[in-house]
């Protein structure tokens, strides 16, 4: 056994142990809070999974700082049924694959009460290496109802991307989202609020000078992003959420080339569904539109993106895509919404199944669309419909079962593919 393999196995066992300890420490009942107005810390969306107010076993404190440990693990399986055209477009085989394994630290600096920190360390199964994820410092600026983050974080674009992948209603983001938006960036961003909490806004400036030769998520040399969210129900006493957002993004091309590609909304897939290939470009400008409505256990949402690329050689292509979905919690829970950060959090079962309850059962239906054909670029046009079931066994354990049916227009062919996907999700 190689040293790298031994290190990976040890890491998996360590995370599994921490997760099992956390599952026993967390309380049986959860108060079903629809909306959260708690202050953000440096962990932002990642930090909301570090729950369990009655548990102190994973918290440490000294004279200088506080620390809380969290971890997560995702294990995916997928099988595919392809017609002849689909097999010519994508080479897919049934497999089981480690989707994500991460260790998370968060805390505060005691000498600076406004300062918090976070560190995320994730195992990249595709490349068999460990990578830093959400890592940096946040400074609270209560005088202006906001905060500044410095480090590696999510860009201020797309609620689906801002949310940590463990909290989503589907097991993968839409193909358009993954193709057009990087998962992380290094830089500085501001998040603030106004109009009595009814308006949340953020903007950031990022560079990939430190990540460009290491991280696969790099798409641009540098980028500027901005996002504004209108929340008309905040402060009215209503538990409903109406989230309306507009976001913009402008980025320079990495090494004067760009490439947009995505798997067919299956991490375990061995091939990309859409892929523009690398083409000459100088910059790209994106517009994102969002609408979410959550009156109770039932919620609806949609995101759509337009990406205009400056490329004389490719005919200045315009790529686009997005999704629309509905999700319903049969057991009556309401998916929490963080009003300070303007994103949704994970489902908390009212009575978790580890202590004799039913857990939380969630039914989801999503339609997604991605069009990477424009100018003289033929990256493909992808459509997929995905019904799925999420069983939230507890705060820490979730099982997912998804069926998918996609149509891919690429290489002059129309390919049809069926998917059967499962996921085991553990988090602490």
């Amino acid at each position: 056994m190689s040293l790298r393999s031994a290190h990976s196995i040890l890491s998996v066992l360590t995370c599994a142990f921490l997760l099992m300890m956390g599952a026993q420490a967390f309380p049986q009942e959860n108060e079903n809070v629809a909306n959260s107005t708690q202050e953000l810390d440096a962990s932002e969306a990642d930090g909301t999974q570090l729950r369990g107010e009655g548990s102190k076993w994973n918290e440490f404190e000294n004279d200088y700082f506080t620390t809380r440990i969290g971890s997560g693990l995702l294990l995916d399986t997928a099988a595919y049924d392809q017609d002849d055209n689909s097999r010519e477009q994508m080479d897919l085989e049934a497999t089981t694959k480690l989707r994500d394994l991460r260790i998370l630290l968060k805390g505060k600096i005691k000498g600076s009460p406004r300062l918090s920190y976070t560190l995320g360390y994730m195992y990249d199964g595709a490349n068999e290496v460990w990578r830093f994820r959400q890592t940096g410092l946040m400074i609270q600026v209560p005088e202006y109802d906001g905060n500044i983050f410095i480090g590696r974080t999510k860009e201020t674009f797309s609620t689906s991307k801002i949310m940590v992948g463990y909290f989503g209603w589907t097991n993968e983001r839409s193909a358009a989202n993954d193709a057009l938006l990087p998962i992380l960036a290094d830089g500085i961003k501001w998040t603030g609020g106004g109009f009595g909490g009814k308006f949340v806004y953020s903007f950031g400036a990022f560079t990939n000078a430190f990540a460009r030769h290491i991280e696969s998520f790099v798409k641009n040399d540098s980028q500027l992003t901005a996002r504004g969210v209108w929340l008309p129900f905040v402060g009215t006493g209503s538990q409903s959420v109406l989230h309306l957002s507009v976001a913009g993004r402008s980025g320079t091309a990495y090494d004067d080339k760009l490439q947009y590609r995505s798997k067919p909304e299956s991490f375990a897939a061995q091939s990309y569904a859409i892929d523009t290939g690398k083409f000459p470009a100088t910059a790209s400008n994106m517009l994102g539109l969002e609408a979410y409505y959550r009156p109770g256990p039932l919620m609806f949402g949609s995101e759509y993106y337009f990406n205009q690329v400056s490329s004389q050689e490719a005919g200045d292509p315009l790529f686009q895509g997005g999704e629309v979905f509905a999700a319903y919690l049969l057991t009556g829970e309401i998916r929490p919404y963080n009003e300070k950060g303007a994103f949704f959090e994970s489902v908390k079962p009212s009575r978790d199944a580890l202590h004799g309850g039913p857990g939380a059962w969630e039914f989801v239906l999503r339609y997604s669309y991605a069009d990477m054909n424009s100018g003289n670029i033929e990256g493909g046009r992808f459509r997929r419909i995905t019904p799925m079931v999420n069983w939230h066994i507890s705060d820490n354990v979730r099982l997912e079962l998804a069926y998918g049916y996609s149509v891919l227009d690429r290489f002059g062919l129309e390919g049809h593919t069926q998917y059967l996907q499962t996921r085991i999700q553990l988090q602490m």
Side-chain angles (χ1 to χ4, degrees), residues 184-263:
L184 290 164
D186 298 330
I188 183 170
K189 72 176 182 182
W190 167 270
T191 301
F195 299 97
K198 286 183 169 62
F199 184 64
V200 177
Y201 67 99
S202 53
F203 50 85
F206 305 93
T207 176
N208 291 305
F210 304 105
R212 57 184 296 172
H213 299 300
I214 302 173
E215 298 285 359
S216 60
F217 62 71
V218 175
K219 296 183 185 294
N220 305 96
D221 277 330
S222 61
Q223 54 265 32
L224 299 173
T225 62
R227 173 181 184 242
V229 184
W230 181 243
L231 303 169
F233 292 156
V234 170
T236 65
S238 173
Q239 289 293 293
S240 297
V241 169
L242 178 60
H243 164 123
L244 302 173
S245 175
V246 177
R249 181 181 189 273
S250 179
T252 58
Y254 173 46
D255 282 349
D256 294 321
K257 294 183 178 63
L258 285 173
Q259 180 178 17
Y260 301 105
R261 64 183 184 178
S262 175
K263 292 183 177 182

Side-chain angles (χ1 to χ4, degrees), residues 300-326:
F300 307 91
S302 179
E303 295 192 13
Y304 203 85
Y305 328 106
F306 301 91
N307 184 51
Q308 179 73 63
V309 180
S310 298
S311 172
Q312 184 177 358
E313 296 87 344
D316 294 333
L318 173 64
F319 304 121
Q320 59 182 300
E323 66 176 327
V324 59
F325 77 92

Side-chain angles (χ1 to χ4, degrees), residues 25 43 69 93-94 106 127 137 146 179 209 282 313 358 365 373 382:
S43 58
I69 301 175
E93 296 181 1
K106 59 172 286 189
N127 298 302
L137 300 172
T282 57
E313 296 87 344
L365 180 64
N373 293 335
F382 179 82

Side-chain angles (χ1 to χ4, degrees), residues 5-31:
S5 298
H7 181 226
S8 301
I9 292 172
L10 179 61
S11 302
V12 172
L13 293 176
T14 301
C15 280
F17 173 76
L18 290 173
L19 288 161
M20 288 188 293
M21 290 284 290
Q24 294 299 317
F26 287 164
Q28 174 180 351
E29 300 288 339
N30 283 315
E31 183 181 357

Side-chain angles (χ1 to χ4, degrees), residues 122-405:
M122 187 194 83
Y123 179 68
D124 182 349
N127 298 302
E128 297 184 347
V129 294
W130 285 84
R131 307 286 197 191
F132 282 102
R133 287 304 183 244
Q134 176 97 4
T135 299
L137 300 172
M138 178 176 283
I139 305 169
Q140 291 186 353
V141 188
E143 296 86 351
Y144 296 96
D145 193 19
N147 53 70
I148 299 171
F149 184 96
I150 303 172
R152 176 165 294 179
T153 184
K154 302 289 184 72
E155 294 183 11
T156 63
F157 195 106
S158 169
T159 297
S160 175
K161 194 68 98 182
I162 291 169
M163 292 169 55
V164 64
Y166 285 73
F167 295 170
W169 28 86
T170 54
N171 59 353
E172 294 293 340
R173 298 179 179 93
S174 70
N177 188 295
D178 278 345
L180 298 174
L181 293 168
I183 188 66
L184 290 164
D186 298 330
I188 183 170
K189 72 176 182 182
W190 167 270
T191 301
F195 299 97
K198 286 183 169 62
F199 184 64
V200 177
Y201 67 99
S202 53
F203 50 85
F206 305 93
T207 176
N208 291 305
F210 304 105
R212 57 184 296 172
H213 299 300
I214 302 173
E215 298 285 359
S216 60
F217 62 71
V218 175
K219 296 183 185 294
N220 305 96
D221 277 330
S222 61
Q223 54 265 32
L224 299 173
T225 62
R227 173 181 184 242
V229 184
W230 181 243
L231 303 169
F233 292 156
V234 170
T236 65
S238 173
Q239 289 293 293
S240 297
V241 169
L242 178 60
H243 164 123
L244 302 173
S245 175
V246 177
R249 181 181 189 273
S250 179
T252 58
Y254 173 46
D255 282 349
D256 294 321
K257 294 183 178 63
L258 285 173
Q259 180 178 17
Y260 301 105
R261 64 183 184 178
S262 175
K263 292 183 177 182
E265 296 173 11
S266 171
F267 172 79
Q270 295 83 10
S271 298
Y272 291 95
I274 49 177
D275 189 349
T276 63
K278 291 186 178 180
F279 61 94
T282 57
S284 63
N285 294 288
M286 285 189 67
L287 172 68
L289 304 174
E290 302 177 4
Y292 290 94
Y293 179 52
R294 191 223 62 196
L298 179 64
M299 67 176 290
F300 307 91
S302 179
E303 295 192 13
Y304 203 85
Y305 328 106
F306 301 91
N307 184 51
Q308 179 73 63
V309 180
S310 298
S311 172
Q312 184 177 358
E313 296 87 344
D316 294 333
L318 173 64
F319 304 121
Q320 59 182 300
E323 66 176 327
V324 59
F325 77 92
Y328 179 63
L329 281 156
L330 182 66
T331 42
E333 289 84 357
I334 299 175
R335 181 177 286 272
Y337 183 83
N338 189 301
E339 295 176 350
K340 287 291 186 179
F343 56 80
F344 290 92
E345 300 180 355
S346 62
V347 172
K348 304 178 182 182
S350 297
R351 294 183 296 132
D352 72 59
L354 296 182
H355 296 86
W361 287 85
E362 184 177 33
F363 296 88
V364 183
L365 180 64
R366 179 178 74 177
Y367 174 78
S368 61
Y369 174 79
D371 187 357
M372 300 295 127
N373 293 335
S374 184
N376 58 25
I377 301 296
E378 295 184 359
R381 184 178 292 111
F382 179 82
R383 293 93 76 196
R384 173 169 161 161
I385 187 167
T386 306
M388 66 179 295
V389 178
N390 298 315
W391 183 25
H392 304 268
I393 295 175
S394 71
D395 276 1
N396 313 92
V397 185
R398 168 173 159 180
L399 300 180
E400 305 170 18
L401 175 63
Y403 168 81
Y405 181 83

